[in-house]
Amino acid sequence: ATIGSIMLLDERKEYLTIEAAIGLDDKIVKNTHLPIGASIAGYVAKTGEALVVKDVENDERFKRINKERYGPASLLCAPLKIKNNVLGVINMAHKEGGVVFTEDDLRLLTTFASQAAVAVDDAYQFEKSRRRLTEFEILHEIQGELHSISSLTSFRQILVEKLRRVFSIDYAIWFTVDRKETTVVPDGAVGKTDIPLTESGKIDLSRIDRGAISLRDINLDMFDIEDITKLSLFFSEKLRENEHYPSPKNAFMAVPIVRSGELAHVFCIGANTDQAYNDDDISLAELVISQAAVLFEKERAVLNATRLMTMGNMISEISHDLRKPLTSIKGGLQILRERWPELAEESEFFTSVDEEIHRMNLLVRELVDFSNPNRYETTTFDLRQIILRASDLIGPDLRKRGIVFKPSFSEAPWEIMANRNQVFEVFLNLFMNAVEAMSEGGVLRVKGMIEKPEHKKQEYLAIKVTDTGVGIKKENLSRIFERYYTTKETGTGLGLAVVERIISAHNGTLAVKSVEGEGTTFIVYFPFER
Ligand code: ADP
Ligand code: MG
């Protein structure tokens, strides 16, 4: 035969396309899109039975006008079949010598087709495994890169870049669900869209009606939020209604991100092609996006916890400073009252200021109580454990900057009686300072031992926290424990003040050694019972 083609069924087994051909026009090869059941190949794909057509024009089943380019009117068509699963068909036409195909020819082709089907199926399976591998790769990569992702914007960017390795993406829009208003609010976008852009080329969300997509038409509690097909349909319609959003074509999906059983975000992904995303694309996107979102939230929660943890004592440090000016205002008011007694009697002014001062005093006291509920609670615990827990909490920061953490403790009675949270905070503060001093990476060493501090007669439990960071200038060394002293752009200058207060409340003492450009060692001394 001088004409032949292999046609494969699409994933949903709806139509046939030509995958390989000889003797056929390129245009035909590219444009053929044959619904299952239609024409001879479609018929064979549907029934799974091979057939020989002696004369197309006169065959009862097809009766069609033979086209010149197919040559003689005799054809062969065999299914590519594994068990009962039809993957496609093989067509042969134009038998050499202008003769008609025989039953023998058909038998030969059928045998060949069953071999070919095995090969095609193998290729499919291989493709599937490779895809699965890519999926694992992507998830693994995201997990590894997570700690270096600092903002939600770059997080989305990375997600899109990863998914692009598997299917095409032209734009992605991230929506956050506002359950109170029952709307979804766009709060990020990636890629080419018709969305108005800011000067720096970012999507100008302020120029999109932020409440544009209302969820009122769908009952959120009844709606199956995991049903990605429905969600995609809903969102593609809604996006089409708003001129600022890209108009979704076939390649579009809306991936739900569910938090504690509730729809929290929707990630819309689309490409400007007519080729729809297939089920594998959708499930990959779903998996990667939801997994990554959970991981990212976790990581962020840990960082926030670190920050919150140190805030309580900082508030109480500030509160001390609020009390002082309040006392002097009160004193000043008293002086005024004595100097102008007639004024003081006539106007409400003095009383109302008095009341306000009183209120502020109460507020400050509340603030102190609130920030430090267990201030005086002591328990017995292993000091080493608390130190290691504090290092766990800054783990993400350590990884982000490539800092190696090296703890070592020699034999000592590490069980101490103290306020656990406060001691925890001491090390958290020291570790955070060390990390901030090593933006280019380095080593964070913690050494525990028994040692006698300078100017003391007794031995103490000593914890040396050493970093290989920027160090502290000699002339600044005496100032670092002062409240509000900071050399950092966003520093509070309260960390070491808190550390010092806590240590002295535990009858301990502190020492610091530093060489500019080489590193710093803080030594925390706790008294212990022999
Ligand atoms: P903050 O960290 O908010 O600046 P701290 O009281 O924790 O406040 O620290 C005060 C200052 O001491 C810092 O701004 C920094 O200049 C210096 N400092 C503290 N720890 C270190 C360290 N490990 N290495 C270098 N400088 C440090
Ligand atoms: Mg600090």
Short mmCIF file of all heavy atoms in Angstrom, two decimals, residues 128-146 158-159 161-166 284 287-288 291-292 295:
data_model
loop_
_atom_site.label_atom_id
_atom_site.label_comp_id
_atom_site.label_asym_id
_atom_site.label_seq_id
_atom_site.Cartn_x
_atom_site.Cartn_y
_atom_site.Cartn_z
N LYS A 128 2.98 8.43 31.37
CA LYS A 128 2.31 8.59 32.66
C LYS A 128 3.31 8.57 33.80
O LYS A 128 3.26 9.39 34.70
CB LYS A 128 1.29 7.46 32.86
CG LYS A 128 -0.13 7.92 32.74
CD LYS A 128 -1.07 6.85 33.27
CE LYS A 128 -2.43 6.96 32.61
NZ LYS A 128 -3.14 5.69 32.60
N SER A 129 4.25 7.60 33.76
CA SER A 129 5.23 7.50 34.83
C SER A 129 6.12 8.74 34.85
O SER A 129 6.48 9.24 35.91
CB SER A 129 6.14 6.29 34.65
OG SER A 129 5.42 5.21 34.22
N ARG A 130 6.46 9.19 33.62
CA ARG A 130 7.33 10.36 33.58
C ARG A 130 6.63 11.56 34.19
O ARG A 130 7.23 12.36 34.89
CB ARG A 130 7.71 10.67 32.13
CG ARG A 130 9.09 11.26 32.06
CD ARG A 130 9.48 11.54 30.66
NE ARG A 130 8.46 12.34 30.00
CZ ARG A 130 8.60 12.80 28.77
NH1 ARG A 130 9.69 12.51 28.08
NH2 ARG A 130 7.65 13.52 28.22
N ARG A 131 5.34 11.64 33.93
CA ARG A 131 4.56 12.73 34.46
C ARG A 131 4.50 12.66 35.99
O ARG A 131 4.67 13.64 36.70
CB ARG A 131 3.16 12.62 33.90
CG ARG A 131 2.46 13.91 33.86
CD ARG A 131 1.04 13.65 33.51
NE ARG A 131 0.29 14.71 34.10
CZ ARG A 131 -0.02 15.82 33.46
NH1 ARG A 131 0.33 15.98 32.22
NH2 ARG A 131 -0.67 16.76 34.07
N ARG A 132 4.25 11.45 36.46
CA ARG A 132 4.20 11.25 37.91
C ARG A 132 5.52 11.70 38.53
O ARG A 132 5.56 12.34 39.56
CB ARG A 132 3.94 9.77 38.16
CG ARG A 132 3.53 9.36 39.48
CD ARG A 132 2.05 9.12 39.73
NE ARG A 132 1.05 9.63 38.86
CZ ARG A 132 0.12 8.87 38.28
NH1 ARG A 132 0.12 7.58 38.48
NH2 ARG A 132 -0.80 9.42 37.54
N LEU A 133 6.60 11.35 37.85
CA LEU A 133 7.92 11.72 38.33
C LEU A 133 8.06 13.24 38.39
O LEU A 133 8.56 13.80 39.37
CB LEU A 133 8.98 11.13 37.39
CG LEU A 133 10.38 11.07 37.95
CD1 LEU A 133 10.44 10.07 39.10
CD2 LEU A 133 11.36 10.65 36.86
N THR A 134 7.61 13.90 37.33
CA THR A 134 7.67 15.36 37.31
C THR A 134 6.84 15.93 38.46
O THR A 134 7.25 16.88 39.11
CB THR A 134 7.09 15.90 35.98
OG1 THR A 134 7.65 15.15 34.91
CG2 THR A 134 7.42 17.36 35.81
N GLU A 135 5.69 15.30 38.72
CA GLU A 135 4.86 15.78 39.82
C GLU A 135 5.61 15.71 41.15
O GLU A 135 5.63 16.66 41.92
CB GLU A 135 3.58 14.94 39.93
CG GLU A 135 2.65 15.14 38.76
CD GLU A 135 1.43 14.22 38.82
OE1 GLU A 135 1.19 13.59 39.86
OE2 GLU A 135 0.74 14.15 37.81
N PHE A 136 6.24 14.57 41.37
CA PHE A 136 7.02 14.42 42.61
C PHE A 136 8.15 15.44 42.66
O PHE A 136 8.40 16.05 43.69
CB PHE A 136 7.59 13.01 42.72
CG PHE A 136 6.60 12.02 43.24
CD1 PHE A 136 6.35 10.86 42.56
CD2 PHE A 136 5.93 12.25 44.43
CE1 PHE A 136 5.42 9.96 43.03
CE2 PHE A 136 5.00 11.35 44.91
CZ PHE A 136 4.75 10.19 44.20
N GLU A 137 8.79 15.59 41.52
CA GLU A 137 9.90 16.53 41.43
C GLU A 137 9.45 17.92 41.83
O GLU A 137 10.09 18.59 42.63
CB GLU A 137 10.37 16.58 39.98
CG GLU A 137 11.82 16.20 39.79
CD GLU A 137 12.09 16.11 38.30
OE1 GLU A 137 11.79 17.07 37.56
OE2 GLU A 137 12.56 15.06 37.89
N ILE A 138 8.30 18.33 41.27
CA ILE A 138 7.81 19.67 41.53
C ILE A 138 7.49 19.86 43.01
O ILE A 138 7.92 20.82 43.64
CB ILE A 138 6.56 19.96 40.67
CG1 ILE A 138 6.97 20.07 39.21
CG2 ILE A 138 5.86 21.23 41.13
CD1 ILE A 138 5.81 20.27 38.27
N LEU A 139 6.79 18.88 43.58
CA LEU A 139 6.45 18.98 45.01
C LEU A 139 7.70 19.04 45.86
O LEU A 139 7.80 19.82 46.79
CB LEU A 139 5.61 17.78 45.43
CG LEU A 139 4.12 17.94 45.22
CD1 LEU A 139 3.40 16.67 45.60
CD2 LEU A 139 3.59 19.10 46.06
N HIS A 140 8.64 18.19 45.51
CA HIS A 140 9.89 18.14 46.26
C HIS A 140 10.62 19.48 46.18
O HIS A 140 11.08 20.01 47.18
CB HIS A 140 10.76 17.03 45.71
CG HIS A 140 12.03 16.85 46.46
ND1 HIS A 140 12.06 16.30 47.72
CD2 HIS A 140 13.30 17.14 46.14
CE1 HIS A 140 13.30 16.28 48.14
NE2 HIS A 140 14.08 16.78 47.20
N GLU A 141 10.68 20.02 44.98
CA GLU A 141 11.36 21.30 44.79
C GLU A 141 10.70 22.40 45.60
O GLU A 141 11.38 23.20 46.24
CB GLU A 141 11.32 21.70 43.31
CG GLU A 141 12.37 21.00 42.49
CD GLU A 141 12.20 21.33 41.01
OE1 GLU A 141 11.58 22.36 40.69
OE2 GLU A 141 12.66 20.52 40.20
N ILE A 142 9.37 22.43 45.54
CA ILE A 142 8.66 23.48 46.28
C ILE A 142 8.97 23.39 47.77
O ILE A 142 9.26 24.37 48.43
CB ILE A 142 7.15 23.41 46.02
CG1 ILE A 142 6.87 23.86 44.59
CG2 ILE A 142 6.38 24.29 47.00
CD1 ILE A 142 5.43 23.80 44.19
N GLN A 143 8.96 22.16 48.26
CA GLN A 143 9.24 21.97 49.68
C GLN A 143 10.64 22.50 50.03
O GLN A 143 10.83 23.13 51.04
CB GLN A 143 9.14 20.50 50.02
CG GLN A 143 8.93 20.26 51.48
CD GLN A 143 8.21 18.94 51.71
OE1 GLN A 143 8.17 18.09 50.82
NE2 GLN A 143 7.67 18.76 52.87
N GLY A 144 11.57 22.24 49.12
CA GLY A 144 12.95 22.66 49.36
C GLY A 144 13.13 24.17 49.27
O GLY A 144 13.96 24.75 49.95
N GLU A 145 12.33 24.79 48.40
CA GLU A 145 12.54 26.22 48.16
C GLU A 145 11.72 27.08 49.10
O GLU A 145 11.94 28.27 49.19
CB GLU A 145 12.15 26.57 46.72
CG GLU A 145 13.16 26.09 45.70
CD GLU A 145 12.61 26.21 44.27
OE1 GLU A 145 11.74 27.07 44.05
OE2 GLU A 145 13.05 25.43 43.43
N LEU A 146 10.80 26.43 49.80
CA LEU A 146 9.83 27.17 50.58
C LEU A 146 10.43 28.21 51.51
O LEU A 146 9.98 29.34 51.58
CB LEU A 146 9.01 26.18 51.39
CG LEU A 146 7.57 26.54 51.56
CD1 LEU A 146 6.91 26.73 50.21
CD2 LEU A 146 6.87 25.47 52.33
N ILE A 158 6.38 31.23 41.74
CA ILE A 158 7.10 29.95 41.69
C ILE A 158 6.16 28.80 41.33
O ILE A 158 6.50 27.95 40.52
CB ILE A 158 7.83 29.72 43.02
CG1 ILE A 158 9.05 30.63 43.07
CG2 ILE A 158 8.23 28.26 43.19
CD1 ILE A 158 9.72 30.74 44.40
N LEU A 159 4.96 28.82 41.93
CA LEU A 159 3.98 27.78 41.59
C LEU A 159 3.72 27.74 40.10
O LEU A 159 3.73 26.68 39.47
CB LEU A 159 2.65 28.08 42.29
CG LEU A 159 2.47 27.63 43.71
CD1 LEU A 159 1.04 27.89 44.15
CD2 LEU A 159 2.79 26.16 43.86
N GLU A 161 5.57 28.92 37.65
CA GLU A 161 6.75 28.48 36.90
C GLU A 161 6.88 26.95 36.90
O GLU A 161 7.22 26.35 35.90
CB GLU A 161 8.02 29.08 37.51
CG GLU A 161 8.37 30.41 36.88
CD GLU A 161 9.31 31.21 37.75
OE1 GLU A 161 10.10 30.59 38.50
OE2 GLU A 161 9.24 32.45 37.68
N LYS A 162 6.60 26.36 38.05
CA LYS A 162 6.71 24.90 38.15
C LYS A 162 5.66 24.22 37.26
O LYS A 162 5.97 23.30 36.53
CB LYS A 162 6.48 24.42 39.59
CG LYS A 162 7.39 25.04 40.60
CD LYS A 162 8.70 24.31 40.65
CE LYS A 162 9.61 24.99 41.64
NZ LYS A 162 10.99 24.97 41.25
N LEU A 163 4.43 24.69 37.37
CA LEU A 163 3.35 24.04 36.61
C LEU A 163 3.55 24.21 35.11
O LEU A 163 3.15 23.36 34.33
CB LEU A 163 2.00 24.61 37.04
CG LEU A 163 1.57 24.19 38.45
CD1 LEU A 163 0.30 24.91 38.86
CD2 LEU A 163 1.35 22.68 38.52
N ARG A 164 4.20 25.30 34.73
CA ARG A 164 4.47 25.54 33.31
C ARG A 164 5.32 24.45 32.69
O ARG A 164 5.34 24.27 31.48
CB ARG A 164 5.19 26.88 33.15
CG ARG A 164 4.25 27.98 32.84
CD ARG A 164 4.98 29.22 32.34
NE ARG A 164 4.00 30.28 32.23
CZ ARG A 164 4.20 31.50 32.66
NH1 ARG A 164 5.36 31.82 33.23
NH2 ARG A 164 3.26 32.39 32.52
N ARG A 165 6.05 23.74 33.52
CA ARG A 165 6.88 22.65 32.97
C ARG A 165 6.00 21.53 32.45
O ARG A 165 6.45 20.71 31.66
CB ARG A 165 7.80 22.10 34.07
CG ARG A 165 8.82 23.10 34.56
CD ARG A 165 10.13 22.44 34.86
NE ARG A 165 10.02 21.27 35.72
CZ ARG A 165 10.39 21.26 36.98
NH1 ARG A 165 10.88 22.33 37.54
NH2 ARG A 165 10.28 20.17 37.70
N VAL A 166 4.76 21.47 32.93
CA VAL A 166 3.90 20.37 32.55
C VAL A 166 2.84 20.78 31.52
O VAL A 166 2.52 20.04 30.61
CB VAL A 166 3.22 19.75 33.78
CG1 VAL A 166 2.53 18.46 33.42
CG2 VAL A 166 4.25 19.50 34.88
N LEU A 284 -2.92 17.50 38.78
CA LEU A 284 -1.57 17.92 39.18
C LEU A 284 -1.63 19.32 39.80
O LEU A 284 -1.07 19.56 40.88
CB LEU A 284 -0.62 17.92 37.97
CG LEU A 284 0.74 18.54 38.27
CD1 LEU A 284 1.52 17.68 39.25
CD2 LEU A 284 1.56 18.74 37.01
N LEU A 287 -3.12 19.24 43.23
CA LEU A 287 -2.21 18.66 44.21
C LEU A 287 -1.12 19.64 44.59
O LEU A 287 -0.89 19.93 45.76
CB LEU A 287 -1.60 17.38 43.63
CG LEU A 287 -0.67 16.62 44.55
CD1 LEU A 287 -1.47 15.95 45.64
CD2 LEU A 287 0.11 15.58 43.76
N VAL A 288 -0.44 20.16 43.57
CA VAL A 288 0.70 21.04 43.83
C VAL A 288 0.25 22.29 44.57
O VAL A 288 0.85 22.69 45.56
CB VAL A 288 1.39 21.42 42.50
CG1 VAL A 288 2.38 22.54 42.72
CG2 VAL A 288 2.06 20.22 41.90
N GLN A 291 -1.06 21.46 48.24
CA GLN A 291 0.04 21.03 49.09
C GLN A 291 0.96 22.20 49.42
O GLN A 291 1.32 22.41 50.56
CB GLN A 291 0.87 19.96 48.37
CG GLN A 291 0.35 18.58 48.50
CD GLN A 291 0.36 18.14 49.95
OE1 GLN A 291 -0.66 18.16 50.60
NE2 GLN A 291 1.53 17.78 50.45
N ALA A 292 1.32 22.92 48.37
CA ALA A 292 2.25 24.02 48.55
C ALA A 292 1.66 25.10 49.45
O ALA A 292 2.34 25.66 50.29
CB ALA A 292 2.63 24.61 47.20
N LEU A 295 1.96 24.01 53.03
CA LEU A 295 3.34 24.12 53.48
C LEU A 295 3.71 25.57 53.76
O LEU A 295 4.33 25.89 54.76
CB LEU A 295 4.29 23.56 52.41
CG LEU A 295 4.28 22.06 52.23
CD1 LEU A 295 5.15 21.65 51.06
CD2 LEU A 295 4.78 21.38 53.49
#
